């Protein structure tokens, strides 16, 4: 490993205004990892491995490759401001010790708060550089705003789906239905499904559902005002809210360690023993979250589907068949049907 890392040289090559290549001098790599190498990503992860542990006392760091998000929370505004400052200081100390430099131009501060609470006024600086305060940020392909309304994300999503809708309309006369369905799953379903467990029950998702129905009508050659419910069933495609239920319940089954059954809370023998325990919260935004919504949807499942939760493949098959048969347009429809 020593021979692999030592005596490495690198240079930078750029194009000028006339597209002529301009290169810097070759310089020895004294720190870091060789760029462009197969082992580079692994060595980089090893290099920054201890960074999260230096911040965990005050915050919750989330790392993805070279992107780092640091979550700071405190009910006390003064302690919150103090912790944010301390976090930046601790991060800068670690960077200095490890011969790294923080890119202040790409560093941003996003504050989450409820509508009834005021935003805490805070302005952070690093090495005399002001950190930009923002109201929305893109994280792993999902646009997150300060109030978690998902409005920004769904606005951008509707633009992408409208383009897909136009493309399907253009190719419809020349393609078979099976081919169109393949294209739908590639260019529409993949966009709809990504991150749906977070934004699927947001009020602004209604606009996304309208675009999905428009695409379904185009695929089946139906009129503008024709009902889509039977079309969804015929095409074996889940409506948006059914897709949300399907994705969220699969997340619950695959991540049971995040949830608790009633038997883990109490020893009383009741018919709800094998239901998931609902987290206690009065906040509507928390009730729309993954933990609460996922638990509530699981508890309302028909018994034959719920009892198969130990076998993921069987659970997935039964759940998809059930949702396809009913083509639920809303979560309330799902609750009403399963309560009968």
């Amino acid at each position: 490993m020593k021979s692999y890392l030592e005596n490495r040289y690198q240079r930078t090559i750029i194009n000028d205004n006339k597209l002529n290549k301009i290169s810097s001098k070759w310089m020895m790599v004294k720190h870091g990892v060789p760029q462009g190498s197969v082992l580079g990503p692994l060595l980089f992860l090893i290099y920054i491995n201890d960074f999260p542990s230096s911040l965990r006392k005050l915050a919750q760091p989330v790392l993805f490759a070279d992107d780092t998000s640091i979550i700071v929370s405190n009910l006390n505004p003064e302690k919150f401001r103090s912790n944010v400052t301390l976090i930046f200081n601790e991060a800068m100390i670690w960077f200095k010790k490890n011969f790294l430099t923080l890119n202040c131009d790409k560093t941003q501060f996003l504050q989450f708060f409820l509508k009834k609470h005021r935003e805490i006024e805070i302005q952070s600086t690093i090495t005399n550089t002001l950190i930009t305060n923002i109201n929305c940020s893109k994280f792993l392909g999902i646009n997150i705003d300060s109030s978690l309304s998902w409005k920004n994300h769904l606005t951008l999503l509707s633009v992408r789906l409208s383009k897909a809708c136009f493309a399907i309309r253009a190719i419809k006369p020349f393609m078979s239905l099976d081919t169109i369905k393949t294209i739908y799953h590639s260019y529409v379903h993949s966009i709809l499904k990504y991150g749906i467990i977070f934004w699927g029950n947001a009020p602004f998702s209604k606009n996304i559902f309208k675009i999905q129905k428009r695409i379904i009508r185009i695929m089946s050659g139906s009129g503008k005002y024709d009902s889509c419910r039977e079309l969804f069933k015929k095409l074996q495609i889940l409506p948006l809210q059914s897709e949300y239920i399907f994705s969220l319940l699969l997340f619950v089954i695959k991540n049971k360690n995040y949830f608790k059954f009633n038997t883990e809370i109490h020893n009383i023998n009741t018919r709800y023993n094998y239901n998931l325990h609902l987290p206690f919260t009065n906040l509507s935004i928390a009730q729309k979250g993954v933990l609460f919504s996922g638990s509530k949807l699981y508890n309302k499942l028909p018994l034959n589907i719920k009892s198969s939760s130990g076998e993921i493949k069987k659970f997935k098959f039964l759940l998809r068949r059930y949702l396809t048969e009913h083509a639920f347009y809303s979560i309330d429809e799902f609750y009403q049907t399963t309560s009968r």
Side-chain angles (χ1 to χ4, degrees):
M1 183 59 71
K2 182 179 179 181
S3 62
Y4 176 79
L5 292 173
E6 66 183 5
N7 296 323
R8 288 269 185 176
Y9 289 81
Q10 69 180 31
R11 65 175 178 171
T12 302
I13 301 176
I14 60 173
N15 292 327
D16 62 10
N17 295 333
K18 297 180 180 179
L19 299 180
N20 297 315
K21 289 186 176 180
I22 302 174
S23 60
S24 64
K25 294 181 180 179
W26 285 100
M27 299 290 289
M28 181 179 286
V29 179
K30 297 180 179 180
H31 311 291
V33 298
Q35 292 192 26
S37 61
V38 175
L39 280 177
L42 176 61
L43 292 173
F44 178 76
L45 292 176
I46 296 172
Y47 192 70
I48 65 169
N49 183 54
D50 63 323
F51 179 55
S53 60
S54 66
L55 305 175
R56 283 201 180 105
K57 290 181 180 179
L58 297 170
Q60 182 182 347
V62 179
L63 273 68
F64 183 80
D66 60 342
D67 277 345
T68 302
S69 299
I70 303 173
I71 302 173
V72 185
S73 60
N74 201 296
L75 296 175
N76 187 303
E78 293 303 321
K79 287 184 178 180
F80 176 75
R81 291 191 188 94
S82 175
N83 286 350
V84 170
T85 303
L86 288 172
I87 284 294
F88 280 130
N89 291 339
E90 288 292 329
M92 292 308 297
I93 291 171
W94 187 91
F95 286 132
K96 188 174 181 180
K97 286 181 178 178
N98 290 274
F99 307 102
L100 294 173
T101 303
L102 179 68
N103 190 336
C104 295
D105 293 332
K106 291 185 178 180
T107 303
Q108 299 172 326
F109 181 81
L110 172 63
Q111 187 177 158
F112 299 100
F113 55 91
L114 299 174
K115 292 180 179 179
K116 64 179 182 180
H117 291 118
R118 289 185 178 182
E119 182 179 1
I120 299 173
E121 293 184 8
I122 184 169
Q123 196 66 66
S124 302
T125 57
I126 298 179
T127 59
N128 298 323
T129 303
L130 203 63
I131 301 301
T132 306
N133 288 346
I134 57 174
N135 294 318
C136 182
S137 178
K138 192 172 186 179
F139 180 69
L140 301 182
I142 297 179
N143 292 275
I144 307 174
D145 59 271
S146 56
S147 61
L148 295 179
S149 68
W150 305 107
K151 183 178 180 181
N152 298 73
H153 180 74
L154 295 176
T155 299
L156 294 172
L157 194 62
S158 64
V159 173
R160 295 177 64 190
L161 288 174
S162 294
K163 291 179 180 178
C165 178
F166 176 81
I168 290 175
R169 188 191 299 274
I171 63 174
K172 173 67 171 64
F174 313 102
M175 302 285 181
S176 66
L177 182 58
D178 288 339
T179 305
I180 293 293
K181 281 181 68 176
T182 302
I183 294 170
Y184 172 88
H185 284 288
S186 299
Y187 291 96
V188 179
H189 179 75
S190 58
I191 296 174
L192 279 177
K193 192 174 178 66
Y194 186 71
I196 194 173
I197 64 173
F198 302 110
W199 56 261
N201 61 351
F204 297 103
S205 64
K206 292 179 181 179
N207 296 330
I208 304 300
F209 185 37
K210 288 178 182 178
I211 299 175
Q212 187 194 26
K213 288 195 290 185
R214 192 186 311 155
I215 294 171
I216 293 299
R217 290 189 181 102
I218 293 170
M219 291 173 62
S220 58
S222 301
K224 185 177 180 181
Y225 299 104
D226 290 348
S227 174
C228 288
R229 197 182 296 270
E230 293 304 317
L231 300 178
F232 277 112
K233 295 178 182 180
K234 182 180 177 181
L235 294 171
Q236 297 286 292
I237 292 174
L238 294 178
L240 182 67
Q241 286 301 303
S242 293
E243 185 62 53
Y244 165 71
I245 295 169
F246 180 75
S247 297
L248 184 51
L249 287 173
L250 277 188
F251 176 85
V252 172
I253 295 304
K254 293 178 180 179
N255 299 274
K256 287 183 179 179
N257 54 307
Y258 291 123
F259 301 84
K260 286 186 177 182
F261 286 92
N262 286 332
T263 50
E264 299 176 63
I265 304 299
H266 58 74
N267 296 322
I268 303 171
N269 190 18
T270 69
R271 59 177 175 172
Y272 302 114
N273 270 5
Y274 296 100
N275 279 359
L276 291 174
H277 179 71
L278 290 178
F280 178 76
T281 177
N282 290 322
L283 296 174
S284 60
I285 192 170
Q287 291 175 358
K288 290 180 180 179
V290 171
L291 292 180
F292 190 94
S293 295
S295 300
K296 191 173 180 180
L297 286 169
Y298 177 86
N299 293 343
K300 292 291 185 179
L301 278 174
L303 186 59
N304 68 312
I305 300 177
K306 196 187 299 184
S307 60
S308 66
S309 61
E311 304 174 53
I312 294 179
K313 191 174 181 180
K314 183 179 179 182
F315 178 87
K316 185 176 180 180
F317 170 77
L318 292 175
L319 178 60
R320 176 173 283 280
R321 186 176 68 179
Y322 178 77
L323 294 174
T324 303
E325 287 174 356
H326 291 84
F328 297 114
Y329 274 20
S330 68
I331 296 176
D332 287 337
E333 277 187 26
F334 172 79
Y335 288 149
Q336 289 168 11
T337 303
T338 54
S339 297
R340 290 172 186 171

